[in-house]
Amino acid sequence: MRISQVTLYHLRMPLQAHFETSFGRIYARECILLEVHAEGMTGWGECVADRHPGYAYETVGTAWHLYQEFILPALIGKPLVDAADLQARLAHIKGHQMAKAGVEMALWDLLGKASGQSLREMLGGERRRVPVGVSVGLQDTLDELLRVVDGYLARGYRRVKLKIKPGRDLSVVQAVRQRHPDLPLQVDANSAYTLESAAALLPLDDFDLLLIEQPLAEDDLWDHRRLQQRFHTPLCLDESITGPRQARQALEMEACRVINIKQGRVGGLLNARRIHDLCLRQDVPVWCGGMLETGVGRAANLALASLPDFKLPGDISATERYYARDITREVFTLNADSTIDVPDAPGLGVTVDREALEQATVRKAVFPPR
Ligand code: OSB
Ligand code: MG
């Protein structure tokens, strides 16, 4: 597969409702969409880096820079056999996993279209529909939070993740747990605590949570280990797991008992599958995290989550939970059993709605420049 041209689209997609985490509130999601031309075909990829470096150091701006200056020049015109080959060509670039993952996703799409295989088939996933939940942001009041949760339950979601931060942790969980005693429930702190301040979370051990996600800093496996020793509830790492090596070390260190796999954060679908395989061998459950993706990234997440070790529901919600108008023609809907169907068509299995894409685009660049 020889890539001849890439168009980068900086997208700004207004959210149906604001999304607030411990690192801030957003009203619109920004990301980069890649349109990759090779051998008469078009592949699409999504780089999940956000506008602001609150979740991770990568941003739309850093990824744009990496694409223009380093990543695309290293790939264009070169023969690429598969994702491993693409990653080998990018191995001289440190970090920037989300930028690398975005272009790798487009290569998977192209390879699937060339071979007639869906991404699910290429990855080796077997399930045709995957269990999903919904990630609920911080709300201004507990009443508002309960209203929002009730709304999602009414729509059919059977697993809820609550965002928490210091001062808005126990009260949040208590309110939802009291109203929904049997609801599969988990929390995500997005690294808002230190080992010391996380002592405030110890009472959460009595709320029958599925897991507690990323309480401490991204680069702090050791203190996660120390914290895990104080909890019966499994800790789950998100931000800390930036590749297969971090996953192996976190498990060896017993820094967590569950891993949230996001293809962008770990440098692409190939690394995501490697982490999946490692966890499967060690009997550690994984689940598919989300980055408020467009339909392009959502299709990739669904295919990934069809692999057998994705034993917990993913943060992969229906299109309408995120966007009034998505950039794919396919609209993902929630089935009555709180699952979403995995796309079946070759590659990612989605088609981009050019008009919606234009509407969401705030900046565009073609490489090589014309
Ligand atoms: O920590 O899982 C997270 C969204 C953006 C950045 C980080 C996270 C999230 C979510 C939303 O929790 C998950 C989704 O896409 O629905
Ligand atoms: Mg998270």
Side-chain angles (χ1 to χ4, degrees):
M1 192 65 62
R2 224 178 261 271
I3 296 174
S4 52
Q5 190 184 72
V6 177
T7 306
L8 301 175
Y9 300 86
H10 174 170
L11 304 186
R12 185 173 186 283
M13 311 259 297
L15 289 163
Q16 294 272 49
H18 65 75
F19 188 68
E20 184 172 335
T21 62
S22 61
F23 55 84
R25 175 182 286 198
I26 59 169
Y27 292 85
R29 170 75 182 157
E30 296 190 27
C31 67
I32 298 172
L33 203 77
L34 296 93
E35 177 184 0
V36 177
H37 295 280
E39 300 171 14
M41 296 181 302
T42 303
W44 296 92
E46 178 169 344
C47 170
V48 298
D50 196 1
R51 196 191 78 79
H52 182 272
Y55 167 78
Y57 70 84
E58 288 188 83
T59 65
V60 170
T62 68
W64 196 271
H65 166 63
L66 266 283
Y67 284 138
Q68 298 258 1
E69 298 293 327
F70 305 109
I71 294 178
L72 299 182
L75 297 177
I76 288 191
K78 310 286 190 335
L80 299 171
V81 178
D82 55 18
D85 202 17
L86 177 142
Q87 290 298 342
R89 292 206 178 264
L90 301 180
H92 64 289
I93 300 169
K94 289 218 186 343
H96 298 282
Q97 299 288 61
M98 295 179 188
K100 292 173 179 173
V103 68
E104 193 200 289
M105 188 188 295
L107 179 66
W108 284 97
D109 193 26
L110 285 163
L111 292 169
K113 284 169 172 164
S115 69
Q117 283 191 302
S118 70
L119 180 60
R120 175 185 65 75
E121 291 170 314
M122 288 189 282
L123 292 173
E126 270 161 19
R127 282 179 294 177
R128 305 301 174 99
R129 37 172 53 192
V130 299
V132 302
V134 61
S135 174
V136 178
L138 290 157
Q139 306 296 323
D140 289 334
T141 65
L142 291 179
D143 278 351
E144 184 60 20
L145 173 67
L146 292 175
R147 216 168 15 248
V148 170
V149 169
D150 283 359
Y152 287 127
L153 296 181
R155 289 179 183 279
Y157 292 101
R158 298 210 197 130
R159 184 284 265 156
V160 168
K161 170 167 121 180
L162 301 173
K163 292 290 188 180
I164 58 169
K165 71 176 197 179
R168 292 163 76 185
D169 35 37
L170 292 190
S171 56
V172 162
V173 175
Q174 215 156 22
V176 174
R177 180 48 91 211
Q178 190 167 18
R179 188 169 172 89
H180 304 286
D182 301 318
L183 174 67
L185 194 62
Q186 61 195 59
V187 296
D188 187 0
N190 286 113
S191 72
Y193 297 83
T194 62
L195 188 59
E196 293 69 38
S197 66
L201 298 178
L202 288 171
L204 287 184
D205 227 3
D206 296 325
F207 286 90
D208 194 24
L209 300 177
L210 290 168
L211 54 90
I212 298 170
E213 185 177 344
Q214 196 71 40
L216 310 178
E218 169 185 344
D219 60 356
D220 198 353
L221 286 184
W222 183 253
D223 281 355
H224 275 107
R225 174 202 156 80
R226 292 182 60 181
L227 192 63
Q228 176 67 88
Q229 289 178 322
R230 302 173 68 184
F231 277 98
H232 295 293
T233 307
L235 296 191
C236 167
L237 291 177
D238 174 352
E239 285 90 326
S240 292
I241 308 300
T242 52
R245 184 160 43 82
Q246 288 73 17
R248 174 179 61 76
Q249 292 176 356
L251 297 180
E252 283 178 6
M253 226 185 266
E254 296 177 43
C256 66
R257 294 184 192 142
V258 176
I259 289 179
N260 164 335
I261 300 184
K262 292 181 181 169
Q263 60 80 32
R265 194 195 64 229
V266 303
L269 290 157
L270 180 63
N271 272 350
R273 188 175 60 190
R274 286 178 176 142
I275 294 172
H276 164 274
D277 293 351
L278 171 79
C279 291
L280 183 64
R281 285 197 296 276
Q282 301 195 19
D283 211 17
V284 171
V286 304
W287 56 285
C288 186
M291 294 287 287
L292 312 173
E293 284 88 349
T294 73
V296 171
R298 195 169 321 288
N301 287 346
L302 288 163
L304 180 63
S306 74
L307 290 165
D309 200 41
F310 284 82
K311 291 180 179 134
L312 291 162
D315 275 350
I316 313 171
S317 305
T319 303
E320 56 129 45
R321 177 257 182 276
Y322 305 97
Y323 304 112
R325 187 179 189 191
D326 203 342
I327 56 155
T328 53
R329 297 201 181 278
E330 294 73 16
V331 169
F332 295 98
T333 55
L334 189 70
N335 299 316
D337 58 353
S338 195
T339 63
I340 297 182
D341 294 350
V342 180
D344 245 341
L348 292 171
V350 290
T351 46
V352 169
D353 176 344
R354 295 267 176 192
E355 199 185 289
L357 176 64
E358 287 304 323
Q359 199 178 40
T361 299
V362 296
R363 174 167 52 145
K364 185 170 159 178
V366 178
F367 196 95
R370 284 175 294 195

